[in-house]
Amino acid sequence: MKFARSFFGYMIAGVLVMAVWKELTAVGGIFGGYLASTILIGPLWFMNHYVNLVDNRDDAAWVDMGLAIGVCGIFRDTFLTGGHAFQGSLPTIGVVILGAIAGGFVAAAFEKDIAKDLLEANDSTQGKNAPEPGMTTKEEHAIISTGIADGMADKNENDMISKGGA
């Protein structure tokens, strides 16, 4: 049922945006684009993410409405104008994929830097319970509550002492 809910939520987003956005921008220009984003994306985001019509769990990769809207747009034009429309969009799709990969690396670098700053700001733990980049709050609390992080830190300190370090 979760798949059906997600499919329905993404389908509504893709179909509505592809059906209404062009008409609003044709009539209103840039203001029509702002109007379309307000009356379409806002309620669709509320329906899909806040009400959680689509199943975005904390421990899974996040799939956003932008992917569904993009896929809907690609296939709509392919069905309406033929396969040459898809072939013509391949360079753009390739650049979007490269941008997504670069964005993923930048986001990972930001998360690592934020984790490092949090670690330096919290001198009391001295790195024993440092969160791993991308770790959810639920995972972090599970590690802290079981004492796994403390045991690992103590083991590492004992290894260092037995090897002549620290």
Side-chain angles (χ1 to χ4, degrees):
M1 190 63 176
K2 290 179 182 179
F3 176 78
R5 280 190 356 232
S6 296
F7 183 82
F8 182 73
Y10 288 136
M11 180 192 68
I12 294 239
V15 169
L16 277 178
V17 168
M18 289 299 129
V20 177
W21 198 289
K22 185 176 180 181
E23 279 67 20
L24 283 174
T25 55
V27 172
I30 292 175
F31 177 73
Y34 285 120
L35 183 63
S37 68
T38 303
I39 66 173
L40 289 175
I41 302 301
L44 288 171
W45 186 94
F46 178 81
M47 176 186 73
N48 283 333
H49 297 304
Y50 186 77
V51 176
N52 203 22
L53 185 62
V54 299
D55 188 34
N56 282 320
R57 294 172 292 176
D58 287 340
D59 60 345
W62 182 270
V63 179
D64 198 26
M65 294 186 320
L67 177 64
I69 293 167
V71 169
C72 184
I74 290 168
F75 282 105
R76 180 199 63 166
D77 288 346
T78 301
F79 293 145
L80 291 176
T81 62
H84 61 83
F86 179 74
Q87 291 172 347
S89 67
L90 285 176
T92 303
I93 293 169
V95 170
V96 168
I97 290 170
L98 290 175
I101 291 170
F105 282 118
V106 169
F110 285 172
E111 282 189 2
K112 286 181 182 179
D113 187 58
I114 290 169
K116 184 183 79 167
D117 289 346
L118 289 173
L119 180 63
E120 290 173 357
N122 190 1
D123 292 331
S124 63
T125 62
Q126 297 177 0
K128 292 182 181 179
N129 297 328
E132 181 178 322
M135 183 180 291
T136 64
T137 307
K138 187 173 22 172
E139 293 170 329
E140 186 178 346
H141 289 304
I143 288 174
I144 292 170
S145 67
T146 58
I148 293 173
D150 291 333
M152 289 173 61
D154 294 338
K155 181 182 178 297
N156 290 339
E157 288 172 8
N158 291 338
D159 288 345
M160 294 270 301
I161 291 170
S162 66
K163 292 179 183 175

